[in-house]
């Protein structure tokens, strides 16, 4: 089937982008890898992985609901890099477990653009399953 290779990226919904960028960049030593201001996505290199910061006021951040706090979530989703990525086989496998894999799209992660889709765990946490770069879905 497929095997998890590593955590590709983690997406944090943030209230104060400047403070969070300062912490991850200046305190922890992450470098800015890529920004997409038009949708509110700031990607920082953390070793072989990425930490994505998504302001709650931006396009992506608004999709997660209320700002992080006691009653709202901070983690947008966890991305697991998998191999091999055979969309039909994975979709069929997940369907047999009662899980809807959703639409496969090319998305950028720690290793570049690659096919991925989102699933939801039993408690509502979003998990992205992502293939290697340049693998067609």
């Amino acid at each position: 089937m497929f095997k998890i290779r590593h955590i590709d990226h983690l997406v944090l919904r943030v209230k104060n982008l400047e403070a969070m960028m300062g912490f991850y960049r200046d305190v922890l030593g992450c470098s800015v890898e890529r920004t997409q201001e038009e949708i509110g996505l700031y990607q920082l290199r953390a070793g072989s992985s990425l930490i994505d910061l998504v302001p709650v006021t931006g396009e992506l951040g608004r999709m997660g609901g209320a700002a992080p706090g006691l009653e709202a979530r901070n983690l947008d989703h966890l991305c697991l890099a998998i191999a091999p990525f055979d969309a039909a086989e994975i979709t069929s496998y997940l369907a047999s477990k009662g899980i809807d894999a959703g639409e496969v799209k090319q998305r950028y992660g720690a290793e570049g653009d690659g096919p991925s889709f989102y699933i939801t765990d039993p408690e509502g946490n979003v998990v992205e399953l992502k293939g290697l770069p340049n693998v067609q879905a």
Side-chain angles (χ1 to χ4, degrees):
M1 178 60 175
F2 64 85
K3 182 178 179 180
I4 295 174
R5 297 172 37 245
H6 59 83
I7 293 175
D8 184 272
H9 65 272
L10 180 74
V11 180
L12 296 175
R13 299 177 67 247
V14 303
K15 294 187 278 188
N16 185 332
L17 177 63
E18 184 177 317
M20 292 293 277
M21 287 284 283
F23 176 80
Y24 285 98
R25 184 189 58 226
D26 303 335
V27 175
L28 297 183
C30 296
S31 60
V32 176
E33 170 112 357
R34 187 167 121 158
T35 61
Q36 294 182 60
E37 291 182 13
E38 66 280 359
I39 60 172
L41 176 62
Y42 302 82
Q43 298 179 294
L44 301 164
R45 175 63 56 184
S48 64
S49 301
L50 292 176
I51 296 173
D52 296 352
L53 302 179
V54 176
V56 295
T57 56
E59 180 182 331
L60 292 177
R62 286 190 304 270
M63 292 169 39
L70 294 176
E71 299 294 324
R73 62 191 176 111
N74 185 9
L75 178 68
D76 182 82
H77 71 275
L78 165 69
C79 179
L80 299 174
I82 63 170
F85 192 95
D86 180 325
E89 183 178 316
I90 296 168
T91 300
S92 176
Y93 169 75
L94 292 172
S96 76
K97 303 292 186 185
I99 299 169
D100 177 20
E103 182 181 0
V104 176
K105 291 186 177 182
Q106 291 287 318
R107 295 183 175 92
Y108 187 79
E111 298 178 307
D113 284 313
S116 77
F117 53 84
Y118 295 110
I119 60 174
T120 304
D121 76 12
E123 295 197 0
N125 297 300
V126 178
V127 178
E128 179 181 355
L129 300 177
K130 186 169 185 313
L132 290 165
N134 302 318
V135 173
Q136 296 303 312

